[in-house]
């Protein structure tokens, strides 16, 4: 049986390369990364809880959309 891990990388999580090495050492066969498809490209629609939480600020300032 093959095993793999799905990971949602964030700025405060383990680096993808380090995670891949750890998983390979432990016999995992695959590493899959989630995309940030749930984060809007603009702030036209307000965040449901009011202001966008600070933990998401890095995403809105570092992503560039065509």
């Amino acid at each position: 049986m093959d095993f793999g891990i799905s990971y949602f990388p964030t700025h405060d999580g383990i680096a993808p390369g380090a995670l891949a090495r750890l998983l390979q050492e432990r016999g995992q066969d695959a590493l899959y990364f989630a995309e940030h498809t749930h984060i809007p490209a603009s702030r036209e629609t307000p965040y449901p809880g009011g202001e966008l939480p600070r933990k998401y600020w890095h995403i809105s300032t570092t992503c560039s959309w065509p």
Side-chain angles (χ1 to χ4, degrees):
M1 178 180 275
D2 295 332
F3 292 92
I5 298 293
S6 179
Y7 179 62
F8 190 93
T10 64
H11 71 292
D12 56 354
I14 186 171
L19 177 60
R21 284 186 290 278
L22 289 171
L23 294 174
Q24 187 174 34
E25 291 169 2
R26 288 158 177 79
Q28 298 296 312
D29 297 309
L31 173 57
Y32 299 95
F33 294 96
E35 295 185 34
H36 291 95
T37 57
H38 68 287
I39 298 173
S42 74
R43 296 283 305 179
E44 288 181 39
T45 303
Y47 184 75
E51 289 297 315
L52 183 69
R54 189 168 181 81
K55 67 181 180 177
Y56 298 124
W57 286 8
H58 73 284
I59 297 167
S60 63
T61 59
T62 59
C63 290
S64 61
W65 303 95

